[in-house]
Amino acid sequence: MSISDYESVIGLEVHIELKTAHKLFCECATAFDAPPNTQVCPVCLAMPGSLPALNQEVVEFAIRAGIATHCSIEGWSRFDRKNYFYPDLPKAYQVTQNDFPLCTEGYLDIVSGSGIKRIRIARIHVEEDAGKLIHLPDDGSLVDCNRCGVPLIEVVSEPDLRNGGEAVAYLRKLRAMARYTGISDGKMNEGSLRCDVNLSVREKGSEILGTRVELKNLNSFNFVARAIESEFERQVAVIEEGGTVVQETRRFDEKTGQTCSMRKKEEAADYRYFPDPDLVPVEVGAAEIERIRASIPRLADERKAQYIEDYALTDYEAERLTDDKELSDFFEKAVVATSNPKTLVNLILADVAPLYTEDTNEDLLDPESLGKLSDLLAAGEINSNTGRKVLKALMEENFDPVAYIARHNLAQINDREKLQEAVARSVAVNQRAVNDFLNGKESAMRSLIGGVMKETGGRANPILAEEMIREAVGSS
Ligand code: ADP
Ligand code: MG
Ligand code: ZN
């Protein structure tokens, strides 16, 4: 068989750090870049005799995530101890919800190659983060406990994803959920969104799950996609050579683009889970859940449906606009300043959206000015070349596009008479292009239009210019 006879089966375990004011079981702050060991206390340092007290805000944030992902919110949940020894875990156990998670059986819809696809979420549970190890270049490591006890939710999907593209689309959706609900900034580069990938392969059409491999700690969308691609190829090769895939944890090496083994199943820790005797179960009443539901602002899917309805956008366009909360907010401010939402959307998706990164927290240019620019484009007062130039300038400093066009003499030339001379010159100096064009080489037209643009400082209406060139060379 060949690789195209196989498919990947992928389930993701995603950790999202909650930006609550305090840690999960103590009053310590949770800022990302505080100096080492300045956000610690006896509770999160696991001093003997200290006792945890649950931070109610964490439960509320986790319920927001559950509601936004269509989960059932469990009225009763409980914390367990997961025992393991690691230097950045002073307690030698992690508090997590193993047996009774707070949220169960939800989903997120993603746009995949074949349209909208529903990815089921098995559970969302609350747990605490561990500290950080800082490895020294020569010898030894330092421990920073600021992150010990920072609240996390872990979102566990069903194995419904089939390739890297779908996995990334799902992660984007999750990150958007975190940002729209305000529970986390979802930054992969700062570790506030972390992803483990579980991947097995099987013959297409089969319903049976293969043996899965877990890929740990992938910290960018790009690495997730590349790790999936490479691990899929590796597992198929193992099977094609007559071998069997073994259950193990692997790591993705960014330099080689390959995954390599970290530990086999036999080496996996026995966590000896048991209910944490220091913590009471969590009970959440229906009225409380309704109060939280009512406090959640408009989410991505709601905005998306509204954009499709109000501005006749495609599913794809609306998905891309709502993928990032800051971009969606920007669009909403710009769209009220234009009568041509379609032109605005094209501008945003082509030239603005690609500049948004996970660190973008403010508008990249003035939304109202971009709205006005869209109107100038839609009315044919400037051509798309000029539009792109003005947009670039707007990213440097804000100005009124209408006044700017007038002041810099950038208006599109839509007048035949005014283009006459430029067309004549372009045809005269580009005789070879004219001959090529007359001999059937359509692409030669581009250099003839380019000639007109050169003559007019880039201001010609390209459609009119083409029409006039065709007339001039006798091929209209
Ligand atoms: P564990 O409790 O051992 O971590 P889970 O059943 O909770 O295992 O699954 C963890 C993740 O692995 C989930 O996201 C799930 O969808 C995924 N998963 C489970 N089995 C497979 C498989 N055969 N192939 C791919 N992913 C899988
Ligand atoms: Mg797991
Ligand atoms: Zn503390």
Side-chain angles (χ1 to χ4, degrees):
M1 290 196 298
S2 81
I3 192 160
S4 59
D5 298 319
Y6 292 89
E7 67 176 3
S8 311
V9 174
I10 302 162
L12 300 188
E13 294 168 282
V14 180
H15 287 93
I16 302 176
E17 232 171 46
L18 303 177
K19 59 174 186 198
T20 49
H22 306 293
K23 291 186 180 179
L24 181 48
F25 299 119
C26 61
E27 298 276 298
C28 290
T30 57
F32 169 69
D33 46 11
N37 300 310
T38 55
Q39 296 177 158
V40 291
C41 75
V43 173
C44 54
L45 286 175
M47 298 295 178
S50 64
L51 283 172
L54 177 63
N55 175 355
Q56 198 174 329
E57 194 183 20
V58 172
V59 178
E60 173 153 350
F61 275 30
I63 291 175
R64 277 198 223 167
I67 291 172
T69 53
H70 316 278
C71 283
S72 308
I73 310 303
E74 300 298 326
W76 194 93
S77 64
R78 189 183 73 190
F79 288 101
D80 305 294
R81 289 186 181 182
K82 178 182 185 180
N83 298 277
Y84 63 99
F85 176 76
Y86 207 66
D88 61 9
L89 190 74
K91 284 197 283 207
Y93 62 81
Q94 177 193 28
V95 177
T96 180
Q97 297 188 306
N98 191 52
D99 297 331
F100 295 94
L102 183 61
C103 315
T104 56
E105 293 185 14
Y107 64 83
L108 278 178
D109 288 336
I110 61 166
V111 177
S112 80
S114 46
I116 292 181
K117 180 168 174 182
R118 182 152 294 182
I119 309 302
R120 292 169 302 153
I121 289 170
R123 54 189 281 156
I124 300 179
H125 62 258
V126 177
E127 60 187 32
E128 60 181 344
D129 213 341
K132 266 185 200 164
L133 284 181
I134 301 155
H135 300 289
L136 298 176
D138 304 328
D139 199 11
S141 300
L142 302 173
V143 185
D144 175 7
C145 287
N146 281 350
R147 211 175 61 180
C148 291
V150 165
L152 299 172
I153 52 170
E154 178 172 341
V155 183
V156 183
S157 85
E158 296 288 353
D160 290 345
L161 300 155
R162 291 292 170 269
N163 54 55
E166 290 186 0
V168 170
Y170 168 80
L171 280 173
R172 284 186 176 283
K173 264 270 142 110
L174 258 190
R175 185 181 65 179
M177 178 283 289
R179 290 167 81 123
Y180 279 98
T181 55
I183 62 168
S184 173
D185 53 25
K187 287 185 183 176
M188 288 189 101
N189 61 359
E190 290 185 2
S192 55
L193 192 148
R194 309 196 286 266
C195 173
D196 298 340
V197 172
N198 295 273
L199 187 151
S200 59
V201 301
R202 67 182 175 196
E203 280 175 46
K204 277 183 188 159
S206 163
E207 293 293 319
I208 305 162
L209 290 176
T211 303
R212 73 181 148 115
V213 159
E214 187 175 25
L215 305 171
K216 277 281 185 204
N217 288 331
L218 298 156
N219 60 8
S220 78
F221 291 150
N222 182 21
F223 291 154
V224 169
R226 282 172 57 201
I228 287 174
E229 179 74 9
S230 136
E231 179 60 17
F232 170 62
E233 287 169 8
R234 188 192 68 86
Q235 291 188 20
V236 170
V238 168
I239 295 169
E240 283 289 299
E241 285 160 17
T244 46
V245 173
V246 295
Q247 190 173 339
E248 62 181 343
T249 302
R250 297 177 72 88
R251 183 175 68 75
F252 178 66
D253 185 328
E254 294 145 24
K255 289 195 196 77
T256 62
Q258 311 268 302
T259 66
C260 48
S261 185
M262 283 169 75
R263 57 178 181 267
K264 305 264 187 250
K265 189 186 178 191
E266 308 83 70
E267 304 160 37
D270 172 5
Y271 295 122
R272 293 168 295 125
Y273 286 101
F274 64 88
D276 192 312
D278 289 342
L279 289 158
V280 293
V282 180
E283 286 189 41
V284 191
E288 185 64 4
I289 295 171
E290 283 321 302
R291 183 189 65 75
I292 297 170
R293 189 187 303 279
S295 75
I296 296 178
R298 276 162 71 240
L299 300 176
D301 282 346
E302 195 184 329
R303 293 188 186 206
K304 187 176 154 184
Q306 188 208 328
Y307 296 174
I308 292 173
E309 171 85 22
D310 291 357
Y311 311 118
L313 303 190
T314 64
D315 211 78
Y316 172 78
E317 290 166 334
E319 177 81 16
R320 281 199 56 203
L321 285 176
T322 51
D323 184 46
D324 184 289
K325 178 172 183 293
E326 276 63 37
L327 183 66
S328 172
D329 288 345
F330 174 78
F331 168 70
E332 295 192 357
K333 283 178 270 179
V335 77
V336 294
T338 177
S339 338
N340 298 281
K342 267 282 187 187
T343 311
L344 172 71
V345 170
N346 290 340
L347 269 182
I348 291 182
L349 293 186
D351 295 307
V352 184
L355 302 175
Y356 272 76
T357 71
E358 57 184 10
D359 290 324
T360 309
N361 293 318
E362 54 190 27
D363 293 338
L364 300 177
L365 70 163
D366 184 73
E368 201 181 319
S369 299
L370 192 66
K372 287 187 187 166
L373 184 64
S374 308
D375 285 345
L376 290 171
L377 277 162
E381 299 198 24
I382 54 173
N383 63 27
S384 56
N385 252 341
T386 307
R388 197 156 292 129
K389 270 188 229 155
V390 176
L391 197 159
K392 259 204 166 135
L394 278 171
M395 292 202 185
E396 302 295 319
E397 61 170 337
N398 191 36
F399 49 76
D400 174 15
V402 178
Y404 184 87
I405 299 299
R407 181 151 29 91
H408 291 86
N409 194 22
L410 293 172
Q412 175 163 258
I413 306 174
N414 294 316
D415 185 330
R416 284 178 124 356
E417 233 160 86
K418 290 190 182 144
L419 278 186
Q420 205 68 58
E421 203 186 306
V423 168
R425 275 190 62 82
S426 174
V427 167
V429 297
N430 291 306
Q431 266 310 314
R432 174 188 286 190
V434 171
N435 290 338
D436 286 350
F437 178 70
L438 291 175
N439 288 326
K441 196 173 159 203
E442 279 287 324
S443 63
M445 175 55 79
R446 263 202 311 255
S447 46
L448 292 169
I449 297 174
V452 176
M453 287 298 174
K454 213 167 123 197
E455 296 291 330
T456 58
R459 294 162 54 219
N461 177 332
I463 296 168
L464 181 59
E466 173 165 353
E467 197 180 298
M468 291 174 66
I469 293 165
R470 283 179 189 272
E471 289 166 10
V473 301
S475 127
S476 56

